């Protein structure tokens, strides 16, 4: 609320693995945990579970913040209503965490996903279909945690 000058502790009630802030509404916060994805409409004071799966990655469309992607074990979900409802857009082969998600800031139809097993996937139609662009991702010393997108690509 003050640009990060002061901080106060908040809790989702679970161990949080990923957090994302709505860039157009400072009151909306998303927190992925080992048990669910929580959504806060009061800047993190309280959370409501909106996706009942262990959530390991989140991406907000920078051009349309109402659109989000959530990565879980073997699934990518998409919401177009600021996380109130979710629909699966990808189902993996089994036992693969979606460790990182990114939406291309120059073209919101392009979405990237890094999997612990299964490499890197790319969608060019907002998550409707996915293709493998890298079949193996190095797992040591740790699986991928971020997918930086170059504005020049």
């Amino acid at each position: 609320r003050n640009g990060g000058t002061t901080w106060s502790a908040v809790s989702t009630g679970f161990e949080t693995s990923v957090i994302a802030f709505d860039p157009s509404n400072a009151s909306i916060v998303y927190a992925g945990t080992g048990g669910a994805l929580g959504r806060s409409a009061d800047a993190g004071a309280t959370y409501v579970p909106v996706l009942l799966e262990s959530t390991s990655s989140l991406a907000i469309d920078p051009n349309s913040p109402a659109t989000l992607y959530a990565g879980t074990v073997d699934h990518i979900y998409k919401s177009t209503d600021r996380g109130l409802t979710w629909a699966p857009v990808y189902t993996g082969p089994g036992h693969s965490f979606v460790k990182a998600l990114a939406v291309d800031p120059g073209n919101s139809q392009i979405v990237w996903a890094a999997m612990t097993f299964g490499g890197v996937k790319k969608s060019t139609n907002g998550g409707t279909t996915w293709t493998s662009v890298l079949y193996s991702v190095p797992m040591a010393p740790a699986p991928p945690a971020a997918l930086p997108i170059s504005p020049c690509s």
Side-chain angles (χ1 to χ4, degrees), residues 11-33:
S11 175
T12 62
F14 297 95
E15 182 178 326
T16 302
S17 56
V18 63
I19 192 162
F21 300 89
D22 186 316
S24 64
N25 183 339
S27 294
I28 299 178
V29 183
Y30 306 94
T33 72

Side-chain angles (χ1 to χ4, degrees), residues 17-19 56-59 97-103 111-116 119-121 134 137-139 142-150:
S17 56
V18 63
I19 192 162
S56 52
S57 57
L58 289 169
F97 283 87
V98 181
K99 294 302 289 181
L101 288 163
V103 179
V111 184
W112 300 85
M115 319 287 283
T116 53
V120 175
K121 310 291 183 200
L134 182 64
V137 175
M139 300 310 291
L147 279 169
I149 304 297
S150 169

Side-chain angles (χ1 to χ4, degrees), residues 74 76 90-100 112-122 130-139 143-144 147:
D74 281 334
I76 299 171
Y90 175 82
T91 299
H95 309 294
S96 183
F97 283 87
V98 181
K99 294 302 289 181
W112 300 85
M115 319 287 283
T116 53
F117 302 102
V120 175
K121 310 291 183 200
K122 179 182 181 183
W130 297 83
T131 56
S132 291
V133 294
L134 182 64
Y135 292 94
S136 176
V137 175
M139 300 310 291
L147 279 169

Side-chain angles (χ1 to χ4, degrees), residues 32-134:
T33 72
L37 173 61
R39 181 184 187 274
S40 174
D42 55 14
T46 60
Y47 285 87
V48 174
V50 292
L51 182 62
L52 298 177
E53 286 199 39
S54 174
T55 306
S56 52
S57 57
L58 289 169
I60 298 176
D61 182 336
N63 301 304
S64 176
T67 301
L68 298 94
Y69 297 86
T72 67
V73 178
D74 281 334
H75 293 91
I76 299 171
Y77 291 88
K78 181 178 182 178
S79 173
T80 57
D81 59 5
R82 286 195 152 75
L84 297 175
T85 60
W86 294 86
V89 293
Y90 175 82
T91 299
H95 309 294
S96 183
F97 283 87
V98 181
K99 294 302 289 181
L101 288 163
V103 179
D104 188 317
N107 181 349
S108 295
Q109 291 297 300
I110 299 175
V111 184
W112 300 85
M115 319 287 283
T116 53
F117 302 102
V120 175
K121 310 291 183 200
K122 179 182 181 183
S123 174
T124 58
N125 53 18
T128 301
T129 59
W130 297 83
T131 56
S132 291
V133 294
L134 182 64

